Amino acid sequence: MPSNRRALVTGASAGIGEAFARELARRGHDLVLTARRADRLEALAQELRDRHAIEAIVAPLDLARPDGPEALVAALEAQGLTIDVLVNNAGYGVPGYFNEQPWSTHAAFIQVLMTAPTELAYRLLPGMKARGYGRIVNVASLAGHVPGSAGHTLYAASKAYLIKFSQSLALEGKGTGVHTTAVCPGFTYSEFHDVTGSRNLVSKMPAFMWMDALTVARQGLDAVDAGTAVYVNGGVNRAIKTLFKLLPDGLALKMIERQGRRFRTGAHTG
């Protein structure tokens, strides 16, 4: 990617989002960082300003707000700031069976993981196409390539959506200078499993199953630059994706069911 571009990273206060911000800054990009935790955003922004001499703007926002994406883009436009790279990373998991949570919890989840990234892409695409350059990275997951499991009911579904959405945008962007990629990591060292309360359970996974967030970010940015519509991080994860693609649906679902029982935090949580 050339320098002097500006990137918007959602969920930039920790984990993969923070890693994307660090790698984009290292590559010379100015940044707009958004997440709910303003103090962590500002600390990261200041560090990246000092280290890489780039401009880093903090825009605290809860993307669960239905008006959040529109308000954010309007604020950027009011300041005359264009976005060349969009990293839709914000996300989390909701453990438990589907009907154990109130609908408001699921509605907020859908807003953050599906509606917000879709709307941000919709609102920023026209400018990218007009300038003849744009990069959209949708942070999906290996979970979007395998059958959904009991518990975390909407997680795999939301990631599968991002994968299909990215494929369509990638095709629509042909010849416009705008590339779209769904980045699909597997187990990644971050705060994700602490937030969902599954840290002790997933820690049982062997070390070779895990990747670090910075490697995921670097590979993702290289993939979108290369025009790769879907990129699965890591050889192990690519092998898992291929295996489940080849298995009959019924057998694949039984395997997920069996594996899911090992990582259930309770009788009705996942």
Side-chain angles (χ1 to χ4, degrees):
M1 292 180 181
S3 61
N4 301 319
R5 305 285 188 182
R6 180 177 288 104
L8 168 62
V9 183
T10 71
S13 61
I16 293 175
E18 178 184 340
F20 267 105
R22 291 185 180 280
E23 181 60 16
L24 285 160
R26 190 188 70 81
R27 299 184 185 204
H29 287 60
D30 292 330
L31 298 172
V32 177
L33 306 177
T34 187
R36 292 177 299 171
R37 295 176 287 190
D39 55 340
R40 296 185 66 160
L41 286 178
E42 188 51 56
L44 175 61
Q46 190 58 56
E47 177 189 342
L48 297 180
R49 293 182 199 114
D50 294 341
R51 178 174 296 181
H52 300 289
I54 53 97
E55 180 182 76
I57 297 170
V58 170
L61 175 67
D62 184 355
L63 286 173
R65 287 174 40 193
D67 65 340
E70 181 179 15
L72 176 58
V73 173
L76 295 174
E77 291 176 347
Q79 299 175 65
L81 300 176
T82 57
I83 298 298
D84 305 292
V85 181
L86 168 63
V87 179
N88 279 315
N89 165 77
Y92 56 95
V94 177
Y97 277 19
F98 185 59
N99 63 350
E100 292 180 344
Q101 298 287 349
W103 174 248
S104 58
T105 297
H106 295 312
F109 179 92
I110 292 169
Q111 171 64 33
V112 173
L113 275 85
M114 298 174 68
T115 304
T118 305
E119 183 174 354
L120 285 172
Y122 178 82
R123 294 188 180 280
L124 295 174
L125 260 174
M128 292 179 178
K129 288 184 176 180
R131 294 186 297 274
Y133 180 92
R135 301 289 185 264
I136 298 174
V137 176
N138 293 316
V139 179
S141 172
L142 176 64
H145 292 285
V146 302
S149 62
H152 294 286
T153 317
L154 295 179
Y155 187 78
S158 70
K159 297 305 185 178
Y161 166 78
L162 285 178
I163 291 167
K164 297 302 184 184
F165 176 54
S166 299
Q167 289 172 327
S168 294
L169 283 187
L171 292 176
E172 292 179 10
K174 292 284 187 179
T176 69
V178 179
H179 298 177
T180 302
T181 296
V183 178
C184 304
F187 288 103
T188 305
Y189 291 113
S190 71
E191 296 180 356
F192 178 87
H193 300 290
D194 299 305
V195 174
T196 61
S198 58
R199 170 61 60 195
N200 291 336
L201 292 170
V202 297
S203 293
K204 298 176 183 178
M205 299 296 294
F208 69 83
M209 293 289 295
W210 292 85
M211 296 185 69
D212 67 276
L214 192 55
T215 298
V216 169
R218 287 173 177 165
Q219 292 177 350
L221 292 174
D222 289 343
V224 75
D225 235 13
T228 303
V230 179
Y231 183 83
V232 179
N233 303 86
V236 171
N237 295 324
R238 288 192 285 273
I240 291 171
K241 176 200 170 188
T242 300
L243 171 64
F244 277 96
K245 187 175 181 179
L246 295 174
L247 287 173
D249 290 347
L251 178 57
L253 193 60
K254 286 182 179 179
M255 288 181 64
I256 290 294
E257 180 184 16
R258 189 179 307 117
Q259 187 72 5
R261 292 196 192 106
R262 297 177 55 200
F263 298 100
R264 204 69 50 78
T265 58
H268 295 290
T269 58

